[in-house]
Amino acid sequence: MANERTLTIALNTLPGLRAAVARDAFERFGSAAGILAAPADELAGVRGFGPALLGAVRGLDAPRVGEDEERRAAALGVAILTLDEPMYPARLRLVPD
């Protein structure tokens, strides 16, 4: 099973998942794993979670996609930082969505 960081990275690859929608979904379901496991009707209750995004989440092979992104980043010497990581720049947290 993929870790929370990997699942978060995978969710962030979805083109329709805007920052504000992701924030609301994380607040409601608590984690990337929670979002991925949430029933469709509950996801649809998150503002901005329309049918296309719901289909994208349901069709996402999150462990594979997240791991692929991590491998590509490592090969390029790039660090992926998620919001909950200590190294995430504090000033970026202040940028509005």
Side-chain angles (χ1 to χ4, degrees):
M1 180 68 173
N3 63 40
E4 181 65 18
R5 180 178 189 278
T6 299
L7 298 178
T8 299
I9 290 168
L11 282 172
N12 278 289
T13 67
L14 297 176
L17 188 59
R18 298 183 332 270
V21 176
R23 182 191 62 235
D24 291 349
F26 273 91
E27 286 176 7
R28 181 161 181 180
F29 299 107
S31 66
I35 293 168
L36 292 164
D41 61 325
E42 289 187 33
L43 282 174
V46 175
R47 184 178 45 89
F49 239 98
L53 183 54
L54 181 57
V57 169
R58 286 292 170 251
L60 181 65
D61 181 356
R64 183 190 59 76
V65 170
E67 289 167 1
D68 286 351
E69 286 295 306
E70 290 176 302
R71 273 193 292 278
R72 277 193 289 276
L76 294 170
V78 174
I80 298 175
L81 298 176
T82 61
L83 284 172
D84 61 342
E85 294 184 59
M87 297 274 307
Y88 193 89
R91 289 184 140 185
L92 284 180
R93 293 179 199 277
L94 303 175
V95 176
D97 296 328

